[in-house]
Amino acid sequence: MDVRTRTLAWSGGLAGLLVAVVLVSAGIGPVSIPARTVAKVVLNAVAVPSGLAFSPTPVSLPLVGQTTVAAPHLSFASVFQFPVERTHTVIVRSVRLPRIVLAAFVGFALATAGVVMQGFFRNPMADPSIIGVSSGAAVGAVASIVLPFALPFGLQLQSAAFVTALVTAFGVYVLASEGGHTPTATLLLAGVAVQTFLGAVISFMLLHSGESLRRVVYWLMGHLGGATWDEVRTVLLVVPPLFVLLLTYGRDLNVLLLGEDDARSLGIEVERTKRILLAASSIVTAAAVAVTGVIGFVGLIVPHGVRLVVGPDHRILLPTSALAGASFLVATDTLARSGAAEIPVGIVTAALGAPFFLYLLRTREVHSL
């Protein structure tokens, strides 16, 4: 089979798995809802534009003041009208689906970034936080909780985490760059050094967190509780466009596995490609970590496990790992909220991921891509 056929086959299968996991997950909770009913609720939410109307809307304009303008408003009509209890509709749409969809996008993002980092560093032990993005986000989040008065421009927790994550990634890149070149070994060491320093900063703030300690620790463990559609929309604006961009660099990632000298000889603009890959994967990771906290192992074990099945070709590995990461995080979050007391999903991913990775270390070849 050619690459396109294999990609479509694997992606189609994993997309079907993701849909099944979402339907089952949305039915699990204090109120059990059959997967068929969940599917009906989701289909009932599908709507198409049915008309355009103009209605008077008050607005405030410079030099004019308060006035009224005719603003357009689209009306929508539902495509499906399946009979479903209102209670089930509210539970699925307003409570469970926002959390599940956010988990899917975050898992999608972390697995995508993990594939890029492992290919970039030519090391299956690499993960999205390897250049300090997660640590940077943690500093911003903890500072917004413990020292809110110290944040400029009135930054809130998620905004602060996103900004500090990107600043950290940029700082690591600048520290590792020399004469227009960025050696991967130097970048890796700079990332480790910055992560260690930021860990000390976080520890210092924890000492002075006082009554905020519980909230800080909960965020650092990684969680999806209280997810909203606004958070989903925020991630949606960032992750899919950058995933498409990274997908166009699948061939370049394949060539980079041969080494930078060979990549140059094959016509790859190595430094430009590395900058784009680092920037895109850092932004994707920052967007995910900013809304959920630090969730480990998704970007490490999912790409590695999928690589063992579909092979090392990044044109196939990127979409398949992303879909597998989405299913994995939805499933683990379902497990995290299904017990007598909800626990942060980061605990579950670590508890499942670490033994699985140790198993791979003992039974598989993991020291090379």
Side-chain angles (χ1 to χ4, degrees):
M1 275 192 291
D2 61 14
V3 171
R4 177 170 296 188
T5 303
R6 290 181 62 206
T7 302
L8 291 175
W10 279 109
S11 298
L14 287 167
L17 174 64
L18 176 60
V19 171
V21 171
V22 168
L23 292 178
V24 172
S25 176
I28 295 176
V31 177
S32 181
I33 302 174
R36 180 178 298 180
T37 303
V38 174
K40 291 179 180 178
V41 172
V42 174
L43 290 174
N44 284 345
V46 177
V48 295
S50 60
L52 178 65
F54 292 86
S55 59
T57 304
V59 296
S60 181
L61 300 175
L63 303 179
V64 177
Q66 193 77 13
T67 186
T68 302
V69 297
H73 293 279
L74 276 174
S75 57
F76 293 86
S78 297
V79 178
F80 304 97
Q81 296 288 344
F82 294 110
V84 180
E85 290 185 24
R86 178 170 174 77
T87 302
H88 289 169
T89 300
V90 172
I91 291 173
V92 172
R93 286 192 193 178
S94 303
V95 179
R96 295 181 186 170
L97 270 188
R99 177 171 183 158
I100 291 168
V101 174
L102 183 63
F105 273 116
V106 170
F108 189 99
L110 293 176
T112 298
V115 171
V116 174
M117 289 293 100
Q118 290 177 9
F120 183 95
F121 287 101
R122 288 177 286 166
N123 187 341
M125 298 292 290
D127 72 351
S129 64
I130 197 167
I131 59 171
V133 177
S134 295
S135 297
V139 168
V142 174
S144 70
I145 297 171
V146 179
L147 309 167
F149 58 86
L151 294 177
F153 315 118
L155 290 177
Q156 300 301 312
L157 187 151
Q158 293 175 357
S159 300
F162 184 74
V163 170
T164 51
L166 295 185
V167 169
T168 301
F170 179 74
V172 170
Y173 175 79
V174 171
L175 288 172
S177 297
E178 189 175 336
H181 298 283
T182 311
T184 53
T186 307
L187 187 66
L188 177 61
L189 293 174
V192 171
V194 170
Q195 284 188 74
T196 303
F197 174 76
L198 294 180
V201 174
I202 294 169
S203 297
F204 177 79
M205 287 191 289
L206 284 174
L207 284 174
H208 297 81
S209 59
E211 297 180 357
S212 303
L213 179 62
R214 181 181 179 85
R215 185 183 173 196
V216 171
V217 173
Y218 188 74
W219 191 92
L220 291 174
M221 288 179 179
H223 66 93
L224 286 155
T228 65
W229 285 116
D230 286 337
E231 292 176 337
V232 173
R233 282 188 283 269
T234 300
V235 177
L236 185 63
L237 290 173
V238 177
V239 175
L242 290 178
F243 171 75
V244 173
L245 172 64
L246 290 170
L247 202 57
T248 63
Y249 280 84
R251 176 185 173 276
D252 292 13
L253 275 167
N254 289 341
V255 177
L256 283 174
L257 292 179
L258 302 174
E260 294 186 11
D261 292 336
D262 289 335
R264 289 191 186 92
S265 67
L266 291 172
I268 302 296
E269 296 182 46
V270 173
E271 293 303 322
R272 176 178 176 274
T273 300
K274 287 163 65 175
R275 284 194 295 269
I276 292 173
L277 292 175
L278 279 175
S281 59
S282 296
I283 294 172
V284 164
T285 305
V289 175
V291 296
T292 63
V294 183
I295 299 176
F297 278 97
V298 178
L300 177 63
I301 64 169
V302 171
H304 187 69
V306 173
R307 184 182 291 108
L308 295 174
V309 178
V310 306
D313 190 335
H314 287 86
R315 293 172 294 179
I316 305 173
L317 188 59
L318 270 167
T320 52
S321 292
L323 290 168
S327 297
F328 176 76
L329 194 56
V330 171
T332 51
D333 183 57
T334 304
L335 186 61
R337 62 179 173 82
S338 298
E342 181 179 322
I343 59 176
V345 67
I347 295 177
V348 180
T349 58
L352 295 177
F356 175 72
F357 198 71
L358 289 174
Y359 166 77
L360 292 177
L361 285 173
R362 296 291 297 177
T363 60
R364 298 278 186 163
E365 188 80 10
V366 299
H367 61 261
S368 63
L369 287 172

